Amino acid sequence: MFYAENMTSDSDDALSWDGDEGATPRDIAPEKARLTADRAAEPAPAVTASPPEAVDSADAPDDERPGLSTAMLLVLGVVGGIYLLYSVGWVVGGLRLKPLANLIVADAMYLPWFVLAIAAPALWFLAVWVLTRGRAAWIRVGLLLVGVVLLVPWPFVTVGVVGS
């Protein structure tokens, strides 16, 4: 139940919590100005030269690289999506090509290359990601685009889903 007697019309109550001890924004502003003036009046601490201390390797900050830009994240997402579609294309195209390939080669020869063809887009993406870590962004993008051209699932492109 809600009782009307608990309601107050004082607008300062909305700006404070229980335990604030009456501190309102009007009380805080003069206090802050006084503290700022006190700090400005204090003399600056004297700086003394001291020998450099050896930094422990465990305490040393790691090489923090800046994060990827929005454009680079967009390129990685689009190219990663294309590579994922290429893997699906290699599965579909390779399965459609298997009956014809069995006339020429045995399953023991066809299966490893089929698996490698499916994994090739992911392996290319991973290799480019790892090997171009310290390089310029255009090198990474260029190699990813080379992979887009080289890894096209030709069995899917030429035969398609329905076949001939």
Side-chain angles (χ1 to χ4, degrees), residues 17-149:
W17 293 91
D18 286 339
D20 274 350
E21 300 165 7
T24 63
R26 283 181 257 152
D27 297 335
I28 294 172
E31 180 69 21
K32 186 175 181 182
R34 185 184 58 78
L35 287 174
T36 305
D38 289 345
R39 277 193 217 135
E42 292 177 3
V47 178
T48 59
S50 61
E53 297 177 11
V55 177
D56 187 20
S57 62
D59 296 336
D62 295 344
D63 270 350
E64 291 188 22
R65 294 185 178 100
L68 295 174
S69 68
T70 304
M72 186 56 140
L73 286 173
L74 184 65
V75 168
L76 289 174
V78 169
V79 172
I82 290 171
Y83 285 169
L84 182 63
L85 290 174
Y86 278 8
S87 291
V88 171
W90 277 108
V91 169
V92 172
L95 290 176
R96 301 282 302 159
L97 191 63
K98 189 171 188 292
L100 180 63
N102 280 343
L103 297 174
I104 301 169
V105 295
D107 279 342
M109 291 174 58
Y110 181 78
L111 188 62
W113 295 107
F114 177 64
V115 170
L116 187 60
I118 294 168
L123 292 174
W124 185 278
F125 189 86
L126 181 66
V128 169
W129 181 263
V130 170
L131 296 176
T132 61
R133 244 188 143 143
R135 310 268 186 216
W138 67 270
I139 295 173
R140 180 176 281 175
V141 171
L143 288 174
L144 287 171
L145 293 177
V146 166
V148 167
V149 173

